[in-house]
Amino acid sequence: MAKTDHMILGSPREPRSHCIRCGTCCLKGGPALHKEDTGLFRKGILKTDHLYTLRRGEIVRDINDKLTPLKGEIIKIKGKDEGCWTCMFYNDQQKACNIYEDRPVECRALKCWDLREFKQAMASPHLQRRHLINPRNGILKIIGAHEQRCSYETLKSAVKELSGPDSHKAVEMILDLLHYDQCMRPLLTEKLNLHPRAMDFFFGRPLKTTIKMFGLSVRQQGDSFVLMPAESCPSN
């Protein structure tokens, strides 16, 4: 580069040391919650219908953008709408957080120009469903039964069997899991008088959505499901 060009362009940018409120971190999704965030529920800032649970075995992207199965459950704040990752508390017009003074620990620790504090926050104990539910509440047993029947290990094994000699049995098992997971949600919403949007907290995201991580998609026809490869599923 010629000397005159360097003078026109200026010297290299200095490392940023403050937030410029670009919103990128909020647009990528809500934070995972940690035990330190429990107080936000006592204050009424966060409620179960604001959350969804990533269950053990669910495949997610880690901080290094690598796909990896979860070793334990993680609770996260939902996006604004279905299919939209932007944190539900992000104010697009003001480019600000609607609960900034009471934001979760990961949000307080995140500095995109220096991730050391954020990585420390991520390593602290995660909040789990049992930390937020009264131990005498019978729904904990229902959650346990759902975890046992609809575990991702079970689903993964059934998907693997699709290429084996008993593929028809594997299809039946997958469809049974999908049907059970689908039907229990509205039933419990009615029987236990739970907020419909809280189902993703109590039982994680529906299997008909997360099954895509195994290369499959689901099309619903009335009360039945049809399995197909993810890439051939209609976009709507």
Side-chain angles (χ1 to χ4, degrees):
M1 180 182 291
K3 183 176 181 180
T4 53
D5 292 336
H6 177 76
M7 292 172 65
I8 292 172
L9 294 174
S11 56
R13 294 180 181 179
E14 293 184 4
R16 182 149 52 86
S17 60
H18 65 281
C19 177
I20 61 173
R21 296 178 64 174
C22 65
T24 301
C25 54
C26 305
L27 294 172
K28 288 185 176 181
L33 300 180
H34 299 261
K35 284 188 176 181
E36 188 178 336
D37 296 313
T38 306
L40 298 179
F41 294 88
R42 290 195 293 267
K43 295 171 68 173
I45 304 298
L46 295 180
K47 300 178 182 179
T48 54
D49 56 292
H50 296 151
L51 314 173
Y52 68 98
T53 299
L54 295 171
R55 300 192 294 125
R56 185 169 65 89
E58 196 163 344
I59 299 174
V60 300
R61 291 191 181 276
D62 62 17
I63 194 171
N64 298 312
D65 203 34
K66 293 182 178 179
L67 293 174
T68 182
L70 284 176
K71 295 181 180 179
E73 70 180 57
I74 291 178
I75 297 172
K76 298 193 70 173
I77 292 179
K78 289 181 177 180
K80 285 183 175 292
D81 301 294
E82 187 174 351
C84 174
W85 291 107
T86 302
C87 178
M88 65 180 297
F89 292 111
Y90 180 63
N91 188 316
D92 298 272
Q93 294 182 338
Q94 297 182 13
K95 293 188 178 296
C97 174
N98 287 331
I99 58 169
Y100 185 80
E101 297 301 325
D102 294 291
R103 62 197 187 281
V105 62
E106 281 196 4
C107 302
R108 288 186 272 119
L110 179 58
K111 299 175 180 64
C112 60
W113 59 92
D114 184 352
L115 295 178
R116 286 175 294 181
E117 187 178 345
F118 180 67
K119 289 180 178 180
Q120 289 178 354
M122 287 186 66
S124 66
H126 282 95
L127 197 62
Q128 297 186 5
R129 288 171 286 184
R130 60 185 176 84
H131 298 141
L132 299 175
I133 301 174
N134 188 313
R136 294 189 295 273
N137 193 322
I139 198 170
L140 282 174
K141 291 184 178 181
I142 300 175
I143 290 173
H146 178 265
E147 281 296 313
Q148 184 173 7
R149 181 165 180 177
C150 297
S151 72
Y152 281 110
E153 188 61 36
T154 298
L155 182 58
K156 179 181 178 181
S157 296
V159 171
K160 187 176 181 180
E161 290 299 320
L162 288 175
S163 58
D166 294 326
S167 59
H168 63 288
K169 292 183 179 180
V171 170
E172 290 178 0
M173 174 173 284
I174 294 171
L175 293 177
D176 178 66
L177 294 176
L178 289 166
H179 190 264
Y180 174 80
D181 181 71
Q182 169 89 349
C183 292
M184 69 176 297
R185 296 169 186 262
L187 177 64
L188 292 175
T189 297
E190 179 183 354
K191 296 294 185 181
L192 301 181
N193 194 29
L194 299 172
H195 195 296
R197 282 182 56 83
M199 289 296 103
D200 287 351
F201 163 72
F202 289 117
F203 303 106
R205 297 182 295 172
L207 290 183
K208 67 177 184 180
T209 299
T210 58
I211 199 171
K212 290 181 180 179
M213 72 177 77
F214 298 109
L216 296 174
S217 288
V218 176
R219 183 174 63 199
Q220 192 164 352
Q221 296 179 338
D223 295 330
S224 301
F225 294 105
V226 177
L227 289 177
M228 63 186 69
E231 61 272 14
S232 67
C233 184
S235 59
N236 58 351

